[in-house]
Amino acid sequence: ETLGTAYASRPEIAAALRGDLTQVQRQSATLDEEILATAAPILANGRREGAVRITQSVAAVNDAVRRTWLGLGLIGALVLGLGLIAGAYLSRRVSRPILRLNDAAEKVGAGDLTVRAQVEGSAEQQTLARTFNTMTERLATLLAAQTDFVADASHQLRTPLAGLRLHLEDVRGTVTTDEERRSLDACLHETDRLAGIVNELLELSRAGEGHQEVATADPAAALQ
């Protein structure tokens, strides 16, 4: 401002001289641009002695605001990008043990009881993996015991059944009536059927000793 020039006619100065703190946006005829003027009264011992005014170019203020928003946008994008990267890393780190445990469960479901889950991840995930391994070990032990029992029972039953059949055949050679022969034939048939069941149990016990290839068959041919 020019020293000695009266500015009391300026609306913001006039308001400040009345004791009001004011801020106005107007067109400056002197600067020939839009300005933002802030004025406040000057007090001395409670009396108004004058006023002070600060003016800013509205265009400069808008540029500063735009630069601020742009900076905040860049910072926000950077923070969001870092957050996404960190989230993806944490998600992968959390999900990886679960995926491996799921793979182990699928292999166990397919019949491979030698699979063990890797103990990794958080404390809860490690506890789950240990529990899964314990369950698989117990399942393998129980299945092995069941297989051994079926195999042993089958072997033990085959000998007495064979002896029973031989005895029935010897007795059939000594009978003289048709009714007795029919009764012995029925006994031999039941003995053979029981022997077939025992053989099937033995084959079933052997089937659990290793992975078997899936066999394919023609349903029409099997039906025929």
Side-chain angles (χ1 to χ4, degrees):
E1 304 291 0
T2 304
L3 185 62
T5 304
Y7 297 98
S9 61
R10 303 292 194 274
E12 63 276 5
I13 294 294
L17 292 175
R18 292 193 302 269
D20 298 330
L21 177 64
T22 184
Q23 185 178 66
V24 296
Q25 180 177 331
R26 63 179 178 80
Q27 181 68 26
S28 173
T30 304
L31 301 175
D32 192 22
E33 66 174 327
E34 194 81 9
I35 63 171
L36 180 65
T38 304
I42 299 175
L43 302 178
N45 298 322
R47 296 176 55 188
R48 291 189 298 275
E49 298 293 340
V52 62
R53 183 185 69 167
I54 300 175
T55 59
Q56 294 174 292
S57 171
V58 173
V61 171
N62 290 337
D63 289 341
V65 171
R66 282 193 294 269
R67 287 194 300 270
T68 301
W69 279 112
L70 180 60
L72 291 175
L74 292 175
I75 293 174
L78 179 61
V79 172
L80 180 60
L82 292 176
L84 290 175
I85 293 174
Y89 171 74
L90 292 176
S91 176
R92 186 175 180 182
R93 185 171 182 179
V94 170
S95 62
R96 186 181 302 166
I98 299 298
L99 294 176
R100 290 180 178 174
L101 181 60
N102 182 71
D103 292 340
E106 290 180 351
K107 292 178 181 178
V108 170
D112 187 1
L113 298 180
T114 62
V115 175
R116 296 295 179 267
Q118 185 174 348
V119 180
E120 59 180 342
S122 63
E124 292 79 7
Q125 291 171 335
Q126 293 180 11
T127 301
L128 180 60
R130 293 189 186 96
T131 302
F132 175 84
N133 291 338
T134 301
M135 177 198 69
T136 306
E137 291 173 0
R138 291 180 178 176
L139 182 61
T141 301
L142 291 175
L143 185 58
Q146 179 182 359
T147 301
D148 292 341
F149 171 77
V150 173
D152 184 65
S154 301
H155 281 295
Q156 295 296 330
L157 288 174
R158 292 180 73 179
T159 299
L161 284 175
L164 178 61
R165 196 180 197 290
L166 290 175
H167 181 69
L168 290 174
E169 289 178 348
D170 290 340
V171 173
R172 189 180 184 281
T174 61
V175 297
T176 56
T177 65
D178 292 338
E179 183 178 355
E180 290 175 340
R181 291 191 184 94
R182 286 193 296 271
S183 298
L184 289 173
D185 288 341
C187 292
L188 288 170
H189 175 72
E190 293 299 324
T191 302
D192 291 339
R193 192 163 71 91
L194 183 58
I197 295 174
V198 171
N199 290 331
E200 290 176 357
L201 288 175
L202 184 59
E203 291 297 326
L204 180 62
S205 66
R206 291 173 179 172
E209 295 176 357
H211 297 288
Q212 304 295 322
E213 295 294 332
V214 177
T216 58
D218 184 3
L223 180 61
Q224 182 65 32

